[in-house]
Amino acid sequence: MALDRWIALAFIALCCVYGYAAFFTMDDLLPPILQRNPVWPSTFPKILTVMGIVVGLIVLFTPKPSGDKAEIKDGTIDLSRLGDYHVGQAIGLLVLMVAYALTLRPFGFLGATIGFLVFGATLLGERRFHVLIPVAVIAAGSIWYLVQEVLGIFLRPWPGFLM
């Protein structure tokens, strides 16, 4: 079986686990007054589960082009040349995302987001720090302002020891 089909199979398994949580465990603790609502907190996860399983099944059961070596079109990934792609950058971004999630509480939203944007852009090759840092500060500050002030959702901007 090809790599894309193995990935689709793993994606379907992940969607099934996510769907189990969405369909059977998320709504157990709802108060009775909320159980009459047409939209529950698990509605969007249920939709994502069904859509993910459908997409995974489409990828899993779509027939492959006939022939041993089909023409490689522009924009497709040639799995036999996987080492030629920037896999290190992709793995680095995944590690940076995990580090971002772990540093949100200790560094606050603004510190963690600015750090993620600066280190992520540097990892991808941006070297103009005189442009990069102000853009990261403005982007993180704008998102914090929209979430905190416009939507009214508390989002700790600074580390806990500064507040």
Side-chain angles (χ1 to χ4, degrees):
M1 193 159 51
L3 179 63
D4 57 344
R5 295 180 192 248
W6 280 108
I7 293 172
L9 194 62
F11 183 70
I12 290 170
L14 180 71
C15 286
C16 288
V17 170
Y18 186 66
Y20 176 79
F23 279 97
F24 299 111
T25 64
M26 286 183 74
D27 299 327
D28 290 342
L29 301 176
L30 280 177
I33 188 87
L34 292 178
Q35 291 180 357
R36 296 181 186 264
N37 287 347
V39 178
W40 290 5
S42 66
T43 301
F44 188 64
K46 288 176 184 176
I47 293 170
L48 282 178
T49 297
V50 171
M51 287 174 37
I53 289 174
V54 167
V55 168
L57 289 173
I58 288 172
V59 170
L60 191 62
F61 292 117
T62 300
K64 284 289 198 184
S66 61
D68 291 334
K69 289 286 183 179
E71 277 187 33
I72 297 175
K73 299 177 186 174
D74 288 337
T76 59
I77 296 175
D78 184 11
L79 296 177
S80 63
R81 296 182 30 225
L82 195 60
D84 295 343
Y85 299 109
H86 299 284
V87 178
Q89 285 181 340
I91 292 171
L93 278 177
L94 290 173
V95 168
L96 198 58
M97 286 180 209
V98 171
Y100 173 70
L102 294 174
T103 59
L104 269 172
R105 284 189 189 260
F107 294 163
F109 177 79
L110 291 176
T113 304
I114 291 169
F116 174 75
L117 291 174
V118 169
F119 288 128
T122 304
L123 179 69
L124 294 176
E126 181 60 47
R127 296 294 182 253
R128 294 180 295 168
F129 293 107
H130 66 281
V131 174
L132 176 63
I133 293 173
V135 166
V137 168
I138 291 170
S142 301
I143 292 169
W144 174 82
Y145 178 78
L146 286 173
V147 170
Q148 174 81 22
E149 301 300 326
V150 176
L151 294 177
I153 301 170
F154 176 72
L155 192 60
R156 183 188 316 171
W158 306 113
F161 64 87
L162 292 178
M163 294 190 69

